[in-house]
Amino acid sequence: MPGAKTTLLIEGTFEELTDEFAQYIDSLKKSQGDESANLQAECTELLKENKKDDVLKKLVVGGQALNQAPEKGRQNYAERREDIV
């Protein structure tokens, strides 16, 4: 018997989604003591030059910070985002 299927819908433009993810990675890195984290600014500059592949590469490399993030922190990101907006 097949397992339950989960569908996840993510809305937004490529630029909005990458900006939000880069901001989250930066906040994780800063909470881990890396005050030089500036992924969001780097991605913004690359997007101005329409270098989407380079943005994705930066996010994948930066995404290593997710390995150190507590599970609870990932779940509460939506709540933190509401506070930002």
Side-chain angles (χ1 to χ4, degrees), residues 9-10 27 43 56 63 80-81:
L9 178 64
I10 301 174
S27 69
C43 289
L56 291 174
R80 288 197 310 262
R81 180 163 162 32

Side-chain angles (χ1 to χ4, degrees), residues 53-70:
D53 286 343
D54 291 337
V55 170
L56 291 174
K57 288 176 188 175
K58 291 252 183 212
L59 291 173
V60 168
V61 172
Q64 293 176 0
L66 297 172
N67 293 329
Q68 304 300 320

